[in-house]
Amino acid sequence: MWLLLALLFWQGPSKEAEPVKEEANKGDKRVELNLLGKTDTAAGESRRNENVQFNLVDNNALKELNIRLGTTATIVQEFRPERNYFGAEFGNAPSAVIHVTPATRRATHGNVYWSHLNSILTARSFFQVGDVQPARENDYGLSVGSRWIQIDASQQKLRGQVNGNVLVPMPEERTALAADPATRGIVQRFLDAFPRILPNRTDINPRALNTNAPQIINNDNLSARVDSPERRWGRLAALYGFTSQQVEAFQLVAGQNPNTDTKNHRARLTWVRGWGSTVAEATVGFDRIGSLLVPEERAVGPMVSVAGLTTLGPLASIPIDRALNMFRYGAQVRRQQGDHNWTIGMATLRRQLNGRETDAHRGVLSFGNDFGRDAITNFRLGFPTQYIVSLGDIHRGFRNWDIQLYAGDTWRVRPGLQLSYGLRFQPVTTPNEVNGRNDIPYPCDCNNFAPQFGLAWQPRQAKFGTFRASYGLHYGEIFPVTFQQVRFSP
């Protein structure tokens, strides 16, 4: 639960206190730039050396972005009843409205673009070992539209180098010592996963190696939108968007990071009808996010942790094969009546999270300072301290509902004074696992009433701006990535 109190500020001169139109999905765009490997130079971002791997699942992308650039508080000038502002103080954008606003395109238009960047034409942004490593970016696409249809498509190809530090065996530690031939072969395969290059930062650690590794990122985007003409029964607006990203991750050590394949589908169909000062909207929508994280082909198999050396990965939780389906339904009525602008509506979301996921299905081998020997000697001898493995059926299917009912009004009391007030009801239902393999340990949270209030006032004699204040009580959601953790419980 989040509480925003006393949002007070002045804005530039205006004739009256008008409702403020917020920039839709600003935070979503900020994350999108990060997800697609792009940069927002106006916000201070620059080309990055991706020497910290983060996976495009859960909220990792936003978390990584907030750590790297910091959060940017969203200044809320007016709470709208159809939106949820939970987490705005951490840079989260207000929740997007499900309905598609009919377009007003009037002429046929189109454009084609292509941009290229490479390591010859631009200086390297970060330190690299040796000469400048080859890197290039190609970004191209097209856009074409007419009065009733719009199509956009683009591709982005990034080929670059990542620089980072790893801990590798010293020259005298690169031979297996196990007596058993089979064990010796396994240990030697593990040792060969480390770079053949010898440590070059012995001033930091006798085993420290600074090295480079290539990384490949491919992004594909396609969107299409169709708007029907105005009819007696109203208008229809339909859109579909597809985003795909494949990442061949950098491997400073063989198999260090998983390769990822992320696909996102978004579809909406909105009906809009007006009767004088009343406008009704109804929408059905579907979102699907597919995430596949798999070990790189040179990965040794299990996760191997050796005290004093970089872990041979990827993490034990890999592979992850997950599909999140979200079925959305919403309806809203807006009415202008005198000095009042009423809004009432509802929205429901049905979630389906299906996938295979575990915490250690590939197994984890740990080598420590035990048995009277140091960890690296135990590693070379093939004497692990610990072995962890998960067994059993790891497929799960979770389902739950999100519901919101809302009503509000913006009341122009008199010239220069405007009040807004509303109420949201957001029950959070208990998820269930379709095969009965897990029970979610919390009941329905069905008392989430969220009032909100705001005012905008411009004194008659004031010529320097408008005074605004607002109060809102907002509730967050319990994300599937949170409640699905119950799958790891014995």
Side-chain angles (χ1 to χ4, degrees), residues 169-321:
M170 294 188 292
E172 64 272 18
E173 298 171 339
R174 298 196 170 220
T175 304
L177 301 177
D180 176 67
T183 303
R184 187 166 59 249
I186 294 173
V187 174
Q188 191 61 53
R189 181 165 58 88
F190 291 171
L191 286 166
D192 292 342
F194 292 96
R196 295 182 180 276
I197 307 171
L198 299 180
N200 58 11
R201 292 306 308 270
T202 54
D203 56 317
I204 299 175
N205 185 295
R207 299 181 178 88
L209 170 65
N210 183 270
T211 186
N212 308 311
Q215 178 165 261
I216 296 175
I217 301 177
N218 296 322
N219 298 308
D220 300 303
N221 297 276
L222 173 67
S223 65
R225 171 170 177 156
V226 178
D227 294 270
S228 75
E230 183 75 39
R231 302 298 186 197
R232 294 184 58 185
W233 47 263
R235 294 187 63 181
L236 289 177
L239 66 81
Y240 170 75
F242 172 74
T243 301
S244 171
Q245 182 179 85
Q246 291 87 36
V247 178
E248 294 184 22
F250 67 90
Q251 312 294 341
L252 300 175
V253 200
Q256 177 184 16
N257 295 308
N259 293 331
T260 66
D261 188 353
T262 306
K263 289 182 170 58
N264 178 33
H265 302 263
R266 180 174 181 265
R268 297 288 186 273
L269 177 63
T270 295
W271 167 79
V272 182
R273 171 74 189 274
W275 295 271
S277 59
T278 301
V279 177
E281 301 169 287
T283 299
V284 294
F286 174 71
D287 295 330
R288 178 180 173 87
I289 303 174
S291 304
L292 178 63
L293 284 71
V294 296
E296 191 254 351
E297 60 182 9
R298 295 179 298 160
V300 297
M303 175 180 169
V304 180
S305 174
V306 184
L309 297 176
T310 294
T311 298
L312 298 177
L315 295 175
S317 59
I318 305 299
I320 295 176
D321 186 359

Side-chain angles (χ1 to χ4, degrees), residues 35 54-63 260-262 289-293 318 320-322 357 481:
L35 284 175
F54 65 96
N55 301 319
L56 306 186
V57 293
D58 311 331
N59 63 346
N60 290 349
L62 180 59
K63 179 174 67 176
T260 66
D261 188 353
T262 306
I289 303 174
S291 304
L292 178 63
L293 284 71
I318 305 299
I320 295 176
D321 186 359
R322 186 190 299 170
E357 195 169 337
V481 66

Side-chain angles (χ1 to χ4, degrees), residues 100-118:
V100 179
T101 302
T104 56
R105 298 181 299 271
R106 295 184 178 181
T108 301
H109 62 276
N111 65 75
V112 178
Y113 71 91
W114 171 68
S115 65
H116 175 74
L117 186 68
N118 61 44

Side-chain angles (χ1 to χ4, degrees), residues 359-378:
D359 52 356
H361 217 60
R362 290 179 12 255
V364 180
L365 279 168
S366 300
F367 295 86
N369 300 319
D370 294 306
F371 320 120
R373 296 180 293 267
D374 63 82
I376 295 178
T377 301
N378 283 325

Side-chain angles (χ1 to χ4, degrees), residues 296-368:
E296 191 254 351
E297 60 182 9
R298 295 179 298 160
V300 297
M303 175 180 169
V304 180
S305 174
V306 184
L309 297 176
T310 294
T311 298
L312 298 177
L315 295 175
S317 59
I318 305 299
I320 295 176
D321 186 359
R322 186 190 299 170
L324 175 61
N325 299 318
M326 292 174 285
F327 300 88
R328 301 177 183 272
Y329 312 92
Q332 178 177 276
V333 176
R334 291 176 286 121
R335 178 175 175 79
Q336 183 73 43
Q337 186 175 14
D339 293 325
H340 294 268
N341 188 0
W342 299 95
T343 301
I344 186 170
M346 57 81 65
T348 62
L349 167 62
R350 176 64 169 174
R351 284 196 184 91
Q352 296 179 348
L353 176 63
N354 302 311
R356 298 172 59 83
E357 195 169 337
T358 180
D359 52 356
H361 217 60
R362 290 179 12 255
V364 180
L365 279 168
S366 300
F367 295 86

Side-chain angles (χ1 to χ4, degrees), residues 11-18 416 457-459 462-466 468:
Q11 69 175 32
S14 60
K15 294 182 179 180
E16 292 188 10
E18 295 285 353
W457 173 51
Q458 184 183 48
K463 299 182 180 180
F464 50 82
T466 300
R468 294 182 180 274

Side-chain angles (χ1 to χ4, degrees), residues 344-418:
I344 186 170
M346 57 81 65
T348 62
L349 167 62
R350 176 64 169 174
R351 284 196 184 91
Q352 296 179 348
L353 176 63
N354 302 311
R356 298 172 59 83
E357 195 169 337
T358 180
D359 52 356
H361 217 60
R362 290 179 12 255
V364 180
L365 279 168
S366 300
F367 295 86
N369 300 319
D370 294 306
F371 320 120
R373 296 180 293 267
D374 63 82
I376 295 178
T377 301
N378 283 325
F379 177 44
R380 298 172 67 198
L381 288 169
F383 289 148
T385 299
Q386 180 177 245
Y387 179 66
I388 302 172
V389 66
S390 297
L391 303 174
D393 185 356
I394 60 174
H395 185 273
R396 295 291 186 273
F398 295 97
R399 307 287 187 268
N400 80 313
W401 287 92
D402 275 5
I403 303 169
Q404 54 180 303
L405 306 172
Y406 56 87
D409 176 32
T410 299
W411 176 25
R412 184 170 298 177
V413 181
R414 58 179 175 80
L417 177 60
Q418 179 178 284

